[in-house]
């Protein structure tokens, strides 16, 4: 990953405003941002380790460990809650066997909160492995559980 960072900086520059795009590129490449990369990033962009750590921990989309095989993001914002989001979340945590905000022990699935996907009129909504799913309901969660546990 250190070579990836060096190559990326050589192509895109080392200004401090390059940090966010570089973090996204690392996550795209590796699936997560390993904490051991903090000093490498600090050196590459001439920033402090605290700067890097602060940005990585501020943005919840940055992962610190490899993602689950299936990532289920459920919208918890107001409109989706008014359309049954809480019932979907209850079904998801029960049927997938993992609490909100956690990765299942076998690494097959995680459930994460999101706060509005811009699809409020057709909620409740989810992102499943990056794919938007509108009007998600318990039946869809049951189908997902079959896939995850297969
Ligand atoms: S509130 Fe859920 S998509 Fe906007």
């Amino acid at each position: 990953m250190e070579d990836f960072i060096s190559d990326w900086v050589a192509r895109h520059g080392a200004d401090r405003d390059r940090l966010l795009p570089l973090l996204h590129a690392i996550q795209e490449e590796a699936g997560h941002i390993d904490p051991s990369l903090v000093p490498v990033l600090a050196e590459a962009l001439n920033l402090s380790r605290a700067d890097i750590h602060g940005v990585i921990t501020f943005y919840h989309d940055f992962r610190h460990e490899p993602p689950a095989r299936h990532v289920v993001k459920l919208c918890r914002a107001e409109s989706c809650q008014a359309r049954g989001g809480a019932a979907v979340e209850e079904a998801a945590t029960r049927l997938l066997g993992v609490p909100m905000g956690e990765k299942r022990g076998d690494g097959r699935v995680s459930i994460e909160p999101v706060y509005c996907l811009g699809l409020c009129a057709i909620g409740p909504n989810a992102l499943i492995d990056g794919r938007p799913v509108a009007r998600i309901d318990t039946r869809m969660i049951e189908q997902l559980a079959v896939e995850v546990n297969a």
Side-chain angles (χ1 to χ4, degrees):
M1 195 41 58
E2 292 180 23
D3 288 345
F4 177 87
I5 293 170
S6 298
D7 292 346
W8 194 97
V9 167
R11 280 183 284 121
H12 300 284
D15 297 333
R16 62 185 304 130
D17 67 351
R18 302 281 74 205
L19 177 57
L20 274 176
L22 175 54
L23 291 173
H24 283 290
I26 292 168
Q27 184 152 289
E28 175 102 12
E29 177 74 11
H32 71 291
I33 300 167
D34 193 289
S36 68
L37 293 177
V38 168
V40 178
L41 288 162
E43 168 122 11
L45 298 181
N46 197 26
L47 293 168
S48 72
R49 293 179 185 196
D51 288 335
I52 306 294
H53 178 75
V55 170
I56 291 172
T57 54
F58 180 79
Y59 292 102
H60 296 293
D61 273 352
F62 292 132
R63 302 176 190 285
H64 311 288
E65 58 181 30
R69 187 181 305 166
H70 298 284
V71 178
V72 179
K73 296 185 178 188
L74 298 176
C75 181
R76 278 185 150 180
E78 191 172 323
S79 182
C80 285
Q81 291 303 296
R83 293 172 175 271
V88 170
E89 182 174 324
E90 185 283 322
T93 56
R94 179 171 42 84
L95 294 169
L96 297 174
V98 61
M100 172 58 83
E102 293 188 22
K103 181 167 72 171
R104 204 164 80 181
D106 62 4
R108 285 178 173 258
V109 64
S110 64
I111 304 177
E112 301 173 6
V114 290
Y115 295 91
C116 197
L117 298 166
L119 303 166
C120 313
I122 52 174
N125 297 302
L127 277 180
I128 299 177
D129 297 332
R131 181 176 46 92
V133 179
R135 294 190 177 98
I136 190 164
D137 58 19
T138 301
R139 184 185 51 80
M140 295 160 107
I141 295 291
E142 287 169 352
Q143 291 173 346
L144 177 63
V146 169
E147 287 175 36
V148 164
N149 294 319

